[in-house]
Amino acid sequence: MDKLVELKHGLEETWHSLGESWRQLRDRASEALTRFTPVNRSRSSSEEPSLPPALASNWGLLAGDLYENGEQIVIRLEVPGMVKDDLDLEVHGDALIIRGEKRIEQEQGNGRYRVRQCTFGSFRRSFQLPAPVIAEKARARCSNGMLRVELPKEERVRGRRIEVRSG
């Protein structure tokens, strides 16, 4: 009977560990999980044919990092296959909003897809900014599938000591 209790305890620990690992993965990936909306227009009639519904995916991952130092906030976002003209950035209140479009690249020939995990279409991603920024001085660069946005922090007005005089 002791062996059965040990086995049950081992299975419970394994199940708990798996559940906790999935929760951590979900929590870390939840903000990177991005909804893509299929775009029906194309640049020319021969370019970007639409995908059969079974192959089209509405969700994909756009992983990002937000880094803050004393002077600025830096956001890096993976944007594979996109160039600067595919992206639109806006600081709105205390958030950076990134909109873009990832275009379909179809293989030409007689083959057919067996697995399709790449996601295409328009998307919107936002990052909550941890401090006020000067939007007019923001800089963005897109290179090798990585978008880097540098947002200078707004200087806080320092308090001023007021001397109290008598009379």
Side-chain angles (χ1 to χ4, degrees):
M1 197 59 138
D2 288 338
K3 292 288 183 188
L4 189 57
V5 171
E6 283 181 37
L7 179 61
K8 180 183 176 201
H9 181 69
L11 287 172
E12 287 174 351
E13 284 184 7
T14 301
W15 186 253
H16 175 74
S17 177
L18 283 171
E20 183 61 29
S21 297
W22 277 110
R23 274 190 292 284
Q24 288 177 9
L25 178 62
R26 183 196 64 215
D27 292 346
R28 289 195 67 199
S30 67
E31 299 217 6
L33 189 60
T34 305
R35 181 169 176 78
F36 285 76
T37 304
V39 178
N40 293 329
R41 61 181 161 73
S42 65
R43 293 179 216 170
S44 70
S45 58
S46 64
E47 215 177 315
E48 301 181 12
S50 62
L51 286 174
L55 292 179
S57 175
N58 292 337
W59 294 94
L61 292 178
L62 290 178
D65 298 326
L66 187 146
Y67 170 80
E68 176 184 11
N69 64 26
E71 300 165 4
Q72 67 181 356
I73 297 168
V74 177
I75 294 173
R76 295 174 354 121
L77 183 67
E78 293 177 347
V79 289
M82 290 182 256
V83 295
K84 67 178 188 141
D85 293 336
D86 296 330
L87 300 164
D88 180 49
L89 286 68
E90 171 188 9
V91 174
H92 186 72
D94 59 352
L96 172 68
I97 299 169
I98 302 170
R99 291 181 190 86
E101 183 178 333
K102 190 174 174 191
R103 292 177 170 70
I104 289 178
E105 295 178 16
Q106 292 281 107
E107 292 291 328
Q108 301 300 317
N110 296 329
R112 66 180 185 179
Y113 285 100
R114 296 287 186 166
V115 176
R116 184 85 190 225
Q117 295 177 338
C118 297
T119 309
F120 300 96
S122 62
F123 66 89
R124 178 184 184 276
R125 208 35 229 283
S126 65
F127 287 86
Q128 195 70 31
L129 301 173
V133 297
I134 307 168
E136 298 78 26
K137 293 186 178 180
R139 295 185 316 215
R141 182 175 70 240
C142 185
S143 176
N144 297 324
M146 184 65 71
L147 172 66
R148 179 184 174 92
V149 183
E150 298 174 353
L151 302 152
K153 287 185 185 179
E154 190 176 276
E155 290 184 29
R156 300 262 176 162
V157 177
R158 290 189 178 155
R160 182 174 154 249
R161 185 167 172 84
I162 301 171
E163 185 179 335
V164 179
R165 296 186 217 178
S166 58

